[in-house]
Amino acid sequence: MSHYESQVREPLIKGHKTYHDISNDIARPIESKSGKLWWTAFGIAFVAFLVGVGCIAYTVGTGIGVWGLNRTINWAWDITNFVWWVGIGHAGTLISAVLLLFRQKWRMSVNRSAEAMTIFAVVQAALFPVIHMGRPWLMYWVFPIPNQFGSLWPNFNSPLLWDVFAISTYFSVSVVFWYIGLIPDFALIRDRATKPFAKKVYGILSFGWGGKAKHWQRFEEISLVLAGLCTPLVFSVHTIVSFDFATSVIKGWHSTVYPPYFVAGAIFSGFAMVQTLLGVLRKVFHYEAYITRKHIEYMNIVIVVTGGMVAVAYLTELWIAWYSGSRYEDFTYFSPGAATGPYWWAFWALIICNVLIPGLLWFRPIRRNFFWTFIISIVVNVGMWFERFDIIVINLSRDYLPSSWTMFMPTFVDVGIFVGTNGFFFVLYLLYARTFPVLPQAELKTILKSSGESYKKHHTEDEHHEH
Amino acid sequence: MTNTKIVYGLYGDDDDLLKAVKSIRKQGITIDEVYTPFPVHGLDKALGLKKTRISDIAFFYGLFGTTLASTMTWFIMNHDWAQDIGGKPSFSWGQNMPAFVPIMFELTVFCAAHFMSWTYLFRNKLYPGAAPQNPDPRTTDDKFMIEIHTTDVEKIKNVFVETGAEEVTLKGDYIQPNVNNLVQEEA
């Protein structure tokens, strides 16, 4: 009776699972050997990763001139990819922190993988601020470290320095939040392990966790406080990323709508990436009982809501560009100068991928369909890449002085580094999926009796008996 | 040596555990520890645990971060090298404060989150390579265990059996823990 939940809600754990079944399902991928599919995927990702390593080494060894940048368009694929990866990372924190604050129980079977995605995506993002420097070996000069130059400090007025603080705080806090949640799950794997090596490794990783009552009490408190801290953090990080553009004097960039609009876009693309990854994960790991159609639908609703916010921002940009009366704003990426300019194809790719196709998620049969969800999630990420490309490149290519107008063409090094970060991301993600508990056992077990399918049925039968 | 012994009662369900905890405490018996695979709602209340103060200290860690960031930006930007960078007023900290807000915010969150996490690990005695704190490996899977330190072992054993324990064991007395188990059929 204490576990009563409205029958209106669809069950979040399907089938007749017990606590022990949940443990078994979570431990299975860790305790079994990798199959052909995993090795193939890992091989492809690793090759892509090596391509990226090669291109980065070439860039650093030769100079930034091997990229397609020019004196007008001095930010292009580097920062596009940086913002893209940071944006992808945001859904993880959103799922684990914001949805925790809102007591959304459906986040439980999604959050672990989403947080892993956050961390691996932020790793990719963090590469770009370093490798796009002309002298990356002097990177440590951005930190306020007392030094022999009379103590020469960084300039705290620059959003690029704020970025350093934002990204490093975001990364480190996300890792800690993720890890503290993992400790009880590592303890489960440790206590099941039969091989001495695995027992040793998970023994170290689980920090000696024993599930004492007081420890759980503190665990729940710290999870809640970390969620409370991560929520403003996730909003601030992408806000600060948007300041890179919004605090400039470039037309099309100096817009006050950027902070919320970038955050909405980040959630939009982040959730799309979660959909792409979970769409595969639930099939390969046979997690259909935990990542149900309802989970996919919930995430699609978030995508359609944030996609709507992004669309409103596009319209705002267009309206303000016209309403400002500034002739320069005519080249804002959503204005006639861009829609019909030389980058018209990038502009229309954005509109099609971010506004029109995700609009299909308004239809219930589509947002509850695994196949279409998977396709749309990929389309959204393509669209969000174009959004950043458009913001950066279109606005830079046609600036205040017509004598500086130019076009941008990426080189194979630009492309290679982007491919490399995708490879690196999947290398990390694939290794994670084989060694980490990808579903949080401790959290799922707390909702089994309230939201498990068999328990919910049980309650209805009880009521029939009483009447 | 005292003849205090440690008795463990193993339960198969969180609802049974909660009922058992309440009933044992009603009999005036002190429960020394409870091990569960997941946070059981209401267990801390049933055990009479005090509210944790970890979030209170996090607030002060956060304040430390804000102070650190304010002092650092003032020292570097206004005191040590009060330069004109792009026309930003560097005569006083207040004049250029908006540019320092992102740093102040991030350092507040950084200090609050990290120091609180370190406090959490320290207070729980969790560190890489620590010995598992749970006496039975099944308590991280699907079993729930109550630990009682007593001089009257028989009484506690009976209390466990009466409250529906699946298995009752005495620490250290048996080579094989299952030899003296009192297995209780489902009530």
Side-chain angles (χ1 to χ4, degrees):
Chain A
M1 274 292 125
S2 61
H3 291 291
Y4 183 75
E5 188 189 79
S6 165
Q7 292 300 322
V8 173
R9 294 187 180 277
E10 279 183 41
L12 294 174
I13 298 174
K14 295 239 173 186
H16 301 278
K17 299 281 182 191
T18 62
Y19 291 139
H20 191 56
D21 292 335
I22 295 179
S23 306
N24 285 343
D25 288 336
I26 290 168
R28 199 189 325 108
I30 302 171
E31 290 168 352
S32 61
K33 282 224 157 78
S34 312
K36 260 195 196 129
L37 188 68
W38 186 87
W39 281 107
T40 314
F42 185 77
I44 296 168
F46 197 73
V47 169
F49 167 60
L50 290 181
V51 168
V53 171
C55 287
I56 290 171
Y58 180 52
T59 306
V60 175
T62 314
I64 289 293
V66 299
W67 291 0
L69 300 175
N70 52 53
R71 279 177 294 175
T72 296
I73 303 171
N74 38 30
W75 264 0
W77 276 49
D78 46 358
I79 297 300
T80 299
N81 297 336
F82 164 72
V83 182
W84 190 69
W85 276 119
V86 176
I88 284 173
H90 278 39
T93 317
L94 201 93
I95 288 170
S96 54
V98 180
L99 298 184
L100 188 145
L101 293 184
F102 285 104
R103 303 275 181 226
Q104 293 298 302
K105 288 177 175 173
W106 60 270
R107 90 197 144 79
M108 285 176 181
S109 40
V110 181
N111 69 357
R112 179 64 46 72
S113 298
E115 288 169 42
M117 181 194 78
T118 292
I119 288 157
F120 304 147
V122 176
V123 168
Q124 308 316 319
L127 282 173
F128 287 101
V130 179
I131 62 172
H132 92 308
M133 289 182 175
R135 300 180 195 84
W137 47 91
L138 298 181
M139 179 205 72
Y140 66 95
W141 285 10
V142 305
F143 298 108
I145 309 164
N147 52 60
Q148 294 168 327
F149 303 109
S151 273
L152 193 60
W153 307 108
N155 163 27
F156 282 94
N157 288 314
S158 168
L160 299 183
L161 188 68
W162 306 343
D163 260 353
V164 172
F165 279 79
I167 300 294
S168 52
T169 302
Y170 184 50
F171 179 72
S172 63
V173 173
S174 300
V175 169
V176 168
F177 192 17
W178 186 54
Y179 200 86
I180 283 180
L182 272 164
I183 289 175
D185 296 10
F186 279 140
L188 165 76
I189 308 293
R190 169 198 72 201
D191 288 344
R192 290 170 57 100
T194 45
K195 292 175 193 150
F197 180 71
K199 205 162 190 75
K200 180 97 190 144
V201 170
Y202 288 103
I204 292 169
L205 291 174
S206 61
F207 283 23
W209 178 263
K212 292 181 176 176
K214 188 72 192 174
H215 294 186
W216 278 125
Q217 189 201 28
R218 290 188 185 127
F219 178 91
E220 294 209 288
E221 182 85 356
I222 195 175
S223 304
L224 193 63
V225 177
L226 279 177
L229 288 169
C230 282
T231 303
L233 184 63
V234 74
F235 289 99
S236 79
V237 168
H238 221 64
T239 295
I240 292 174
V241 168
S242 84
F243 283 165
D244 293 352
F245 310 100
T247 61
S248 75
V249 294
I250 308 292
K251 48 91 213 161
W253 282 10
H254 62 175
S255 163
T256 51
V257 79
Y258 269 27
Y261 150 53
F262 266 50
V263 172
I267 299 164
F268 183 53
S269 71
F271 266 83
M273 193 61 149
V274 174
Q275 293 280 40
T276 312
L277 295 172
L278 289 184
V280 178
L281 187 100
R282 70 184 288 281
K283 274 271 170 242
V284 176
F285 281 0
H286 306 294
Y287 281 167
E288 287 92 344
Y290 303 102
I291 301 162
T292 65
R293 201 176 285 282
K294 192 67 195 171
H295 288 85
I296 300 294
E297 186 182 9
Y298 277 136
M299 285 190 279
N300 279 332
I301 290 171
V302 176
I303 290 177
V304 93
V305 168
T306 50
M309 293 180 190
V310 170
V312 167
Y314 295 159
L315 290 173
T316 310
E317 288 265 275
L318 174 66
W319 159 259
I320 291 297
W322 172 77
Y323 190 64
S324 69
S326 161
R327 56 195 301 191
Y328 300 110
E329 292 291 343
D330 197 31
F331 291 109
T332 300
Y333 72 93
F334 195 72
S335 293
T340 55
Y343 280 110
W344 62 270
W345 49 273
F347 169 79
W348 289 109
L350 160 92
I351 298 302
I352 291 166
C353 295
N354 278 2
V355 181
L356 300 181
I357 294 179
L360 293 172
L361 294 173
W362 281 100
F363 300 101
R364 196 162 185 271
I366 293 177
R367 69 168 178 262
R368 285 178 68 89
N369 183 299
F370 294 113
F371 175 76
W372 288 115
T373 293
F374 186 72
I375 299 293
I376 291 172
S377 72
I378 290 169
V379 169
V380 166
N381 267 318
V382 172
M384 284 307 291
W385 191 90
F386 271 107
E387 183 195 293
R388 279 71 179 249
F389 177 83
D390 290 359
I391 288 172
I392 296 168
V393 174
I394 294 183
N395 285 314
L396 287 176
S397 75
R398 301 223 161 174
D399 209 332
Y400 297 110
L401 287 176
S403 60
S404 301
W405 287 9
T406 184
M407 294 289 286
F408 168 81
M409 183 55 73
T411 65
F412 78 92
V413 191
D414 285 304
V415 182
I417 291 173
F418 179 57
V419 169
T421 53
N422 279 287
F424 193 14
F425 175 82
F426 280 104
V427 163
L428 292 170
Y429 200 84
L430 287 164
L431 287 174
Y432 149 82
R434 304 270 344 147
T435 48
F436 279 50
V438 299
L439 297 175
Q441 58 100 8
E443 294 199 67
L444 282 175
K445 285 173 187 171
T446 61
I447 59 164
L448 178 67
K449 283 190 176 176
S450 53
S451 304
E453 186 180 26
S454 55
Y455 285 91
K456 294 198 82 147
K457 281 207 181 112
H458 185 68
H459 287 307
T460 23
E461 281 160 21
D462 272 359
E463 274 154 35
H464 281 298
H465 288 305
E466 280 162 24
H467 290 297
Chain B
M1 294 293 281
T2 56
N3 51 353
T4 305
K5 304 254 185 207
I6 298 175
V7 191
Y8 296 119
L10 193 78
Y11 296 80
D13 187 84
D14 45 336
D15 291 330
D16 295 351
L17 174 85
L18 268 183
K19 270 184 222 149
V21 165
K22 280 173 192 161
S23 134
I24 291 171
R25 272 176 52 90
K26 215 174 250 174
Q27 296 175 43
I29 300 164
T30 316
I31 293 175
D32 287 277
E33 195 53 81
V34 177
Y35 304 90
T36 60
F38 57 86
V40 176
H41 185 70
L43 180 63
D44 50 347
K45 274 221 180 82
L47 278 171
L49 293 181
K50 275 189 212 145
K51 190 191 171 298
T52 169
R53 293 167 299 170
I54 204 156
S55 49
D56 302 352
I57 192 135
F59 176 76
F60 291 98
Y61 291 146
L63 278 186
F64 169 76
T66 322
T67 314
L68 180 73
S70 315
T71 317
M72 181 177 70
T73 47
W74 165 78
F75 177 77
I76 292 175
M77 299 299 291
N78 306 111
H79 182 75
D80 206 18
W81 300 77
Q83 294 191 100
D84 185 337
I85 304 166
K88 298 264 177 126
S90 58
F91 308 106
S92 72
W93 184 80
Q95 278 175 312
N96 203 12
M97 197 273 283
F100 307 141
V101 168
I103 303 282
M104 289 161 66
F105 177 81
E106 295 299 326
L107 277 182
T108 305
V109 171
F110 185 95
C111 291
H114 284 291
F115 296 161
M116 177 180 63
S117 303
W118 283 105
T119 308
Y120 167 80
L121 294 177
F122 182 76
R123 292 287 289 152
N124 291 352
K125 297 190 177 66
L126 298 171
Y127 56 91
Q133 296 177 8
N134 49 336
D136 190 313
R138 288 171 295 176
T139 59
T140 53
D141 181 357
D142 60 345
K143 299 294 178 195
F144 306 80
M145 189 178 247
I146 300 178
E147 176 183 312
I148 294 177
H149 300 199
T150 180
T151 48
D152 189 352
V153 172
E154 283 313 309
K155 181 189 159 200
I156 298 298
K157 274 188 178 176
N158 286 333
V159 165
F160 277 146
V161 173
E162 278 160 20
T163 51
E166 286 181 352
E167 197 179 291
V168 181
T169 41
L170 196 59
K171 189 187 180 179
D173 266 14
Y174 313 102
I175 301 158
Q176 283 176 301
N178 289 337
V179 171
N180 219 18
N181 287 352
L182 300 168
V183 179
Q184 175 89 349
E185 293 296 315
E186 264 198 10

